[in-house]
Amino acid sequence: MPLTPIRLGYLPLIDAAPLIVAQELGFASEEGLSLDLIRLNSWAQSRDMLGAGLIEAAHMLAPMPVAQAMGLGPALPPSDLVMVLSQGGQAIAVSPELAEALRLGGHDFAFSDAMAAGRALRAAVNKPLRIGVPFLFSTQHELVRHWLHHSGFGDDISVVTVPPPNMAEAMAAGEVDLFCVGEPWASFAVENGIASLILPGIAIWAAPPEKGLVLNHTFVEGQPDLTGRLMRAIWRAGRWLDMPEHRGSAAEILSRPEYLKLPSELAERGLTGRMMVSPMGEMRDAPGFIAFNAGSASYPWRSLAAFFADRIARRHGRDPVEAMRRAMAVYRTDLYRQHLREAGAELPGASARLEGALATDLHVPAERGQMILRRDAFFDGTTFEPPFAI
């Protein structure tokens, strides 16, 4: 039988790996699909092409469908996040000038202590701090704001949005002092002598949901069989990626000219968490730097949608309760259960939880037996729970 084509937009990042691997290693064809992977230039393009029906599915920042549900953005058809594609995978980089000031202050660029790094940065900065993030509604934006707020920064910061492949260029041009971006673009900046890494995202929030698989609501409701086949193909690719012995092969695939078009060594750093933190060649390990399925990483907890909605609503003068109600409806735990149960996915017993509560990995009851939830603690002890269930 001929394969059913699906147009899927992505940005060149290592967290697009489940989509690329699903196509390259045959997980899609096993479901009767052929993924037409369309490389995009910006997150706004991803959102707009999905809304216009030019693609059937999108690799998208996890907070983007939340903001869209809140009415922040262009008027487009409703969309649903049906599964998380990755947790983690972000790194925070500083300019050479800031790196030098940090070193003079005695900072050792350890990857494990976000509190110490934040205090060192606060002591080193003597002017308003310009922060680069890939999109206003992004996990990177939330991570950096949370970290800087709890490190003593107030209104003395400004945010600049820069597409991920252009982050190094923006820093080299002096447009930003610090940026947070998904790999391999932080490592690309270090490799080219433009930046030093100060922290991985997981040092701030141990399990930050980074990207999601987003489809138009009319598609998931009108084509449930096709939705399920796409989800299963990508879920199986994520399970393959979570095997450490596959990360090297994945780096080779991702680095091909049609995808990242970069040396495989750069992709491998982000996939393995073995990072070069400065142009001087210093190395740091970030265990668990990125996860695709392991520890329920792909499960679209509705409490995560509420967390993002609460933060976004407060910054934009919206009612947080109404924002959370709208946002939780677009994180489709129901579809995850429906379509991935038969594939063998471990399914939590709830659709929402207390976010930030796990200081260590934890065995919990699942629909069938037990499963492991990844640690998800914030560096400052923050927790969040929606005030209602949906």
Side-chain angles (χ1 to χ4, degrees):
M1 291 180 62
L3 300 178
T4 302
I6 295 281
R7 296 168 298 179
L8 208 163
Y10 76 98
L11 263 67
L13 292 147
I14 64 165
D15 53 44
L19 316 177
I20 295 168
V21 165
Q23 176 62 20
E24 292 288 343
L25 296 190
F27 296 107
S29 61
E30 288 173 5
E31 291 287 345
L33 302 176
S34 175
L35 303 185
D36 179 11
L37 297 171
I38 301 170
R39 178 170 164 153
L40 305 178
N41 297 317
S42 71
W43 294 114
Q45 186 185 18
S46 175
R47 174 200 62 200
D48 295 347
M49 286 186 69
L50 181 68
L54 299 175
I55 53 178
E56 280 78 50
H59 164 239
M60 193 177 288
L61 293 158
M64 286 181 69
V66 168
Q68 198 66 24
M70 293 168 57
L72 297 171
L76 294 171
S79 59
D80 291 326
L81 187 148
V82 298
M83 63 188 294
V84 173
L85 293 172
S86 60
Q87 287 183 351
Q90 320 91 345
I92 298 174
V94 295
S95 67
E97 295 75 19
L98 259 183
E100 179 64 19
L102 286 162
R103 292 185 190 281
L104 289 174
H107 184 57
D108 61 1
F109 287 78
F111 257 25
S112 57
D113 193 338
M115 189 70 75
R119 289 171 178 163
L121 184 67
R122 177 67 280 185
V125 172
N126 55 15
K127 63 177 183 178
L129 189 64
R130 297 164 303 168
I131 304 161
V133 298
F135 200 70
L136 191 61
F137 308 121
S138 64
T139 305
Q140 289 91 339
H141 190 190
E142 299 303 331
L143 283 171
V144 174
R145 276 199 177 273
H146 187 86
W147 175 52
L148 293 179
H149 172 74
H150 290 277
S151 299
F153 288 84
D155 295 330
D156 50 345
I157 61 173
S158 59
V159 176
V160 181
T161 58
V162 184
N166 299 343
M167 281 293 185
E169 181 182 347
M171 183 165 278
E175 297 169 4
V176 297
D177 307 301
L178 174 153
F179 65 69
C180 181
V181 72
E183 278 290 279
W185 300 109
S187 287
F188 176 82
V190 173
E191 190 74 16
N192 287 276
I194 294 167
S196 294
L197 305 187
I198 187 170
L199 283 176
I202 58 169
I204 299 168
W205 183 6
E210 177 54 26
K211 303 299 188 309
L213 178 65
V214 180
L215 298 88
N216 280 331
H217 181 73
T218 53
F219 184 93
V220 300
E221 294 299 319
Q223 303 211 48
D225 177 67
L226 203 52
T227 299
R229 286 192 277 152
L230 177 62
M231 291 175 66
R232 287 190 295 273
I234 292 171
W235 180 83
R236 290 188 174 107
R239 184 176 58 178
W240 182 89
L241 282 160
D242 274 330
M243 298 178 186
E245 64 270 25
H246 293 160
R247 294 290 172 99
S249 299
E252 294 287 345
I253 295 169
L254 294 175
S255 300
R256 293 174 185 171
E258 62 269 36
Y259 300 126
L260 297 184
K261 198 179 179 179
L262 289 173
S264 62
E265 292 80 3
L266 290 185
E268 193 163 359
R269 289 179 197 174
L271 286 167
T272 63
R274 178 68 174 158
M275 312 288 285
M276 190 168 81
V277 300
S278 80
M280 295 182 288
E282 299 164 275
M283 303 299 294
R284 299 285 187 274
D285 286 317
F289 180 75
I290 190 168
F292 299 98
N293 272 344
S296 79
S298 59
Y299 189 69
W301 294 97
R302 287 180 167 169
S303 42
L304 290 172
F307 172 83
F308 288 132
D310 179 67
R311 268 44 179 187
I312 293 169
R314 294 179 191 279
R315 283 201 301 273
H316 289 264
R318 302 295 180 94
D319 174 17
V321 173
E322 179 59 23
M324 285 187 279
R325 196 177 303 280
R326 291 187 180 191
M328 291 170 78
V330 302
Y331 269 44
R332 299 296 302 272
T333 56
D334 57 329
L335 294 180
Y336 189 97
R337 293 174 184 279
Q338 175 186 341
H339 295 306
L340 295 182
R341 182 179 286 114
E342 66 184 79
E346 295 176 319
L347 298 173
S351 293
R353 63 176 179 174
L354 178 64
E355 297 293 338
L358 300 182
T360 60
D361 293 353
L362 183 68
H363 283 84
V364 298
E367 273 195 3
R368 302 170 185 166
Q370 285 197 327
M371 63 183 294
I372 297 174
L373 296 183
R374 293 183 79 210
R375 64 181 296 266
D376 73 336
F378 289 85
F379 82 102
D380 61 305
T382 290
T383 59
F384 173 85
E385 186 172 23
F388 53 83
I390 188 172

Short mmCIF file of all heavy atoms in Angstrom, two decimals, residues 175-210:
data_model
loop_
_atom_site.label_atom_id
_atom_site.label_comp_id
_atom_site.label_asym_id
_atom_site.label_seq_id
_atom_site.Cartn_x
_atom_site.Cartn_y
_atom_site.Cartn_z
N GLU A 175 24.29 42.40 20.21
CA GLU A 175 22.86 42.66 20.42
C GLU A 175 22.33 42.03 21.70
O GLU A 175 21.29 42.46 22.22
CB GLU A 175 22.07 42.13 19.22
CG GLU A 175 22.42 42.83 17.92
CD GLU A 175 21.83 42.15 16.70
OE1 GLU A 175 21.08 41.16 16.88
OE2 GLU A 175 22.13 42.59 15.58
N VAL A 176 22.99 40.98 22.20
CA VAL A 176 22.58 40.34 23.45
C VAL A 176 23.82 40.07 24.30
O VAL A 176 24.92 39.90 23.78
CB VAL A 176 21.82 39.01 23.20
CG1 VAL A 176 20.53 39.27 22.44
CG2 VAL A 176 22.67 38.00 22.46
N ASP A 177 23.61 40.05 25.62
CA ASP A 177 24.69 39.74 26.56
C ASP A 177 24.64 38.29 27.02
O ASP A 177 25.65 37.72 27.44
CB ASP A 177 24.57 40.64 27.81
CG ASP A 177 24.49 42.11 27.45
OD1 ASP A 177 25.43 42.61 26.81
OD2 ASP A 177 23.48 42.75 27.81
N LEU A 178 23.46 37.72 26.94
CA LEU A 178 23.21 36.36 27.43
C LEU A 178 22.09 35.79 26.57
O LEU A 178 21.18 36.52 26.19
CB LEU A 178 22.83 36.41 28.90
CG LEU A 178 22.38 35.16 29.65
CD1 LEU A 178 22.71 35.30 31.14
CD2 LEU A 178 20.87 34.91 29.51
N PHE A 179 22.15 34.50 26.28
CA PHE A 179 21.02 33.89 25.58
C PHE A 179 20.78 32.49 26.10
O PHE A 179 21.66 31.84 26.65
CB PHE A 179 21.19 33.91 24.05
CG PHE A 179 22.32 33.08 23.49
CD1 PHE A 179 22.28 31.69 23.52
CD2 PHE A 179 23.40 33.69 22.88
CE1 PHE A 179 23.29 30.92 22.97
CE2 PHE A 179 24.43 32.93 22.32
CZ PHE A 179 24.38 31.55 22.37
N CYS A 180 19.54 32.04 25.91
CA CYS A 180 19.15 30.67 26.21
C CYS A 180 18.55 30.09 24.94
O CYS A 180 17.62 30.67 24.36
CB CYS A 180 18.12 30.63 27.35
SG CYS A 180 17.62 28.94 27.81
N VAL A 181 19.11 28.96 24.49
CA VAL A 181 18.68 28.38 23.22
C VAL A 181 18.84 26.87 23.27
O VAL A 181 19.64 26.35 24.05
CB VAL A 181 19.49 28.99 22.05
CG1 VAL A 181 20.92 28.47 22.05
CG2 VAL A 181 18.82 28.74 20.70
N GLY A 182 18.07 26.18 22.44
CA GLY A 182 18.23 24.74 22.32
C GLY A 182 19.49 24.40 21.56
O GLY A 182 19.93 25.14 20.67
N GLU A 183 20.05 23.25 21.91
CA GLU A 183 21.24 22.78 21.21
C GLU A 183 20.88 22.39 19.77
O GLU A 183 19.74 22.02 19.50
CB GLU A 183 21.82 21.58 21.94
CG GLU A 183 22.69 21.99 23.13
CD GLU A 183 23.99 22.61 22.66
OE1 GLU A 183 24.94 21.90 22.30
OE2 GLU A 183 24.04 23.86 22.65
N PRO A 184 21.83 22.54 18.83
CA PRO A 184 23.27 22.71 19.02
C PRO A 184 23.75 24.16 18.96
O PRO A 184 24.95 24.41 18.85
CB PRO A 184 23.85 21.95 17.82
CG PRO A 184 22.87 22.27 16.72
CD PRO A 184 21.51 22.28 17.39
N TRP A 185 22.83 25.13 19.04
CA TRP A 185 23.21 26.50 18.72
C TRP A 185 24.00 27.19 19.82
O TRP A 185 24.77 28.12 19.53
CB TRP A 185 21.98 27.28 18.28
CG TRP A 185 21.39 26.63 17.07
CD1 TRP A 185 20.22 25.94 16.99
CD2 TRP A 185 22.00 26.52 15.77
NE1 TRP A 185 20.05 25.42 15.72
CE2 TRP A 185 21.13 25.76 14.95
CE3 TRP A 185 23.20 26.98 15.23
CZ2 TRP A 185 21.42 25.46 13.63
CZ3 TRP A 185 23.48 26.69 13.90
CH2 TRP A 185 22.60 25.94 13.12
N ALA A 186 23.87 26.74 21.07
CA ALA A 186 24.76 27.27 22.10
C ALA A 186 26.18 26.73 21.89
O ALA A 186 27.17 27.47 21.97
CB ALA A 186 24.24 26.90 23.49
N SER A 187 26.27 25.42 21.61
CA SER A 187 27.59 24.84 21.33
C SER A 187 28.22 25.43 20.08
O SER A 187 29.45 25.60 20.01
CB SER A 187 27.47 23.31 21.18
OG SER A 187 27.24 22.71 22.44
N PHE A 188 27.41 25.77 19.09
CA PHE A 188 27.92 26.41 17.88
C PHE A 188 28.58 27.75 18.23
O PHE A 188 29.66 28.08 17.71
CB PHE A 188 26.77 26.63 16.90
CG PHE A 188 27.14 27.37 15.66
CD1 PHE A 188 27.73 26.71 14.58
CD2 PHE A 188 26.90 28.73 15.53
CE1 PHE A 188 28.07 27.39 13.42
CE2 PHE A 188 27.23 29.43 14.38
CZ PHE A 188 27.83 28.76 13.32
N ALA A 189 27.96 28.52 19.14
CA ALA A 189 28.53 29.80 19.54
C ALA A 189 29.85 29.61 20.29
O ALA A 189 30.81 30.36 20.09
CB ALA A 189 27.54 30.57 20.42
N VAL A 190 29.91 28.60 21.15
CA VAL A 190 31.16 28.31 21.87
C VAL A 190 32.24 27.88 20.89
O VAL A 190 33.39 28.36 20.96
CB VAL A 190 30.93 27.22 22.93
CG1 VAL A 190 32.25 26.80 23.57
CG2 VAL A 190 29.95 27.71 24.01
N GLU A 191 31.90 27.00 19.98
CA GLU A 191 32.86 26.48 19.00
C GLU A 191 33.48 27.60 18.17
O GLU A 191 34.64 27.52 17.76
CB GLU A 191 32.16 25.47 18.09
CG GLU A 191 33.08 24.69 17.18
CD GLU A 191 33.87 23.62 17.92
OE1 GLU A 191 33.50 23.27 19.06
OE2 GLU A 191 34.85 23.14 17.33
N ASN A 192 32.71 28.66 17.94
CA ASN A 192 33.19 29.77 17.14
C ASN A 192 33.73 30.93 17.97
O ASN A 192 33.93 32.04 17.44
CB ASN A 192 32.06 30.25 16.22
CG ASN A 192 31.81 29.29 15.07
OD1 ASN A 192 32.47 29.34 14.06
ND2 ASN A 192 30.85 28.38 15.26
N GLY A 193 33.99 30.68 19.25
CA GLY A 193 34.62 31.68 20.11
C GLY A 193 33.74 32.86 20.46
O GLY A 193 34.26 33.91 20.87
N ILE A 194 32.43 32.70 20.36
CA ILE A 194 31.50 33.82 20.53
C ILE A 194 30.89 33.85 21.93
O ILE A 194 30.41 34.89 22.38
CB ILE A 194 30.40 33.73 19.46
CG1 ILE A 194 31.02 33.95 18.08
CG2 ILE A 194 29.28 34.73 19.70
CD1 ILE A 194 30.09 33.58 16.93
N ALA A 195 30.92 32.73 22.65
CA ALA A 195 30.20 32.64 23.93
C ALA A 195 30.83 31.58 24.83
O ALA A 195 31.64 30.77 24.37
CB ALA A 195 28.73 32.29 23.68
N SER A 196 30.43 31.61 26.10
CA SER A 196 30.73 30.55 27.06
C SER A 196 29.43 30.11 27.69
O SER A 196 28.51 30.92 27.89
CB SER A 196 31.69 31.05 28.15
OG SER A 196 32.96 31.36 27.63
N LEU A 197 29.32 28.83 27.99
CA LEU A 197 28.10 28.31 28.62
C LEU A 197 28.19 28.46 30.12
O LEU A 197 29.20 28.10 30.73
CB LEU A 197 27.91 26.82 28.26
CG LEU A 197 27.89 26.45 26.79
CD1 LEU A 197 27.52 24.98 26.63
CD2 LEU A 197 26.93 27.34 26.01
N ILE A 198 27.12 28.97 30.72
CA ILE A 198 27.10 29.14 32.16
C ILE A 198 26.24 28.08 32.85
O ILE A 198 26.55 27.65 33.96
CB ILE A 198 26.65 30.57 32.55
CG1 ILE A 198 26.78 30.81 34.06
CG2 ILE A 198 25.25 30.88 32.06
CD1 ILE A 198 26.59 32.26 34.47
N LEU A 199 25.18 27.62 32.17
CA LEU A 199 24.29 26.61 32.76
C LEU A 199 23.53 25.85 31.68
O LEU A 199 23.22 26.42 30.64
CB LEU A 199 23.23 27.27 33.66
CG LEU A 199 23.59 27.75 35.06
CD1 LEU A 199 22.37 28.43 35.66
CD2 LEU A 199 24.08 26.63 35.94
N PRO A 200 23.19 24.59 31.94
CA PRO A 200 22.15 23.93 31.15
C PRO A 200 20.78 24.28 31.73
O PRO A 200 20.65 24.59 32.93
CB PRO A 200 22.47 22.45 31.35
CG PRO A 200 23.05 22.38 32.73
CD PRO A 200 23.78 23.69 32.95
N GLY A 201 19.75 24.21 30.90
CA GLY A 201 18.41 24.50 31.39
C GLY A 201 18.00 23.61 32.54
O GLY A 201 17.28 24.04 33.45
N ILE A 202 18.45 22.34 32.54
CA ILE A 202 18.04 21.40 33.59
C ILE A 202 18.60 21.77 34.96
O ILE A 202 18.15 21.23 35.97
CB ILE A 202 18.41 19.95 33.24
CG1 ILE A 202 19.92 19.81 33.00
CG2 ILE A 202 17.60 19.46 32.06
CD1 ILE A 202 20.39 18.38 32.91
N ALA A 203 19.59 22.68 35.02
CA ALA A 203 20.08 23.14 36.32
C ALA A 203 19.09 24.10 36.97
O ALA A 203 19.10 24.28 38.19
CB ALA A 203 21.44 23.82 36.17
N ILE A 204 18.21 24.70 36.18
CA ILE A 204 17.20 25.62 36.69
C ILE A 204 15.90 24.88 36.99
O ILE A 204 15.28 25.05 38.04
CB ILE A 204 16.95 26.74 35.67
CG1 ILE A 204 18.24 27.54 35.44
CG2 ILE A 204 15.82 27.67 36.13
CD1 ILE A 204 18.16 28.48 34.24
N TRP A 205 15.50 24.05 36.06
CA TRP A 205 14.28 23.23 36.17
C TRP A 205 14.67 21.87 35.64
O TRP A 205 15.04 21.73 34.49
CB TRP A 205 13.17 23.88 35.35
CG TRP A 205 11.84 23.22 35.40
CD1 TRP A 205 11.44 22.17 36.17
CD2 TRP A 205 10.69 23.58 34.60
NE1 TRP A 205 10.14 21.86 35.92
CE2 TRP A 205 9.65 22.71 34.97
CE3 TRP A 205 10.45 24.56 33.63
CZ2 TRP A 205 8.39 22.78 34.38
CZ3 TRP A 205 9.19 24.62 33.05
CH2 TRP A 205 8.17 23.76 33.43
N ALA A 206 14.59 20.86 36.48
CA ALA A 206 15.19 19.56 36.14
C ALA A 206 14.53 18.87 34.96
O ALA A 206 15.17 18.04 34.30
CB ALA A 206 15.15 18.63 37.36
N ALA A 207 13.28 19.19 34.65
CA ALA A 207 12.59 18.53 33.54
C ALA A 207 11.75 19.54 32.76
O ALA A 207 10.52 19.42 32.68
CB ALA A 207 11.72 17.38 34.04
N PRO A 208 12.38 20.53 32.15
CA PRO A 208 11.60 21.55 31.44
C PRO A 208 11.07 21.04 30.11
O PRO A 208 11.86 20.63 29.24
CB PRO A 208 12.63 22.68 31.22
CG PRO A 208 13.96 21.99 31.20
CD PRO A 208 13.83 20.80 32.11
N PRO A 209 9.76 21.03 29.90
CA PRO A 209 9.22 20.59 28.61
C PRO A 209 9.61 21.59 27.54
O PRO A 209 9.33 22.78 27.66
CB PRO A 209 7.71 20.57 28.84
CG PRO A 209 7.49 21.57 29.92
CD PRO A 209 8.70 21.51 30.80
N GLU A 210 10.26 21.12 26.50
CA GLU A 210 10.84 22.05 25.53
C GLU A 210 9.99 22.18 24.27
O GLU A 210 9.53 23.26 23.94
CB GLU A 210 12.26 21.59 25.20
CG GLU A 210 12.97 22.41 24.13
CD GLU A 210 12.99 23.89 24.43
OE1 GLU A 210 12.92 24.28 25.61
OE2 GLU A 210 13.05 24.67 23.48
#
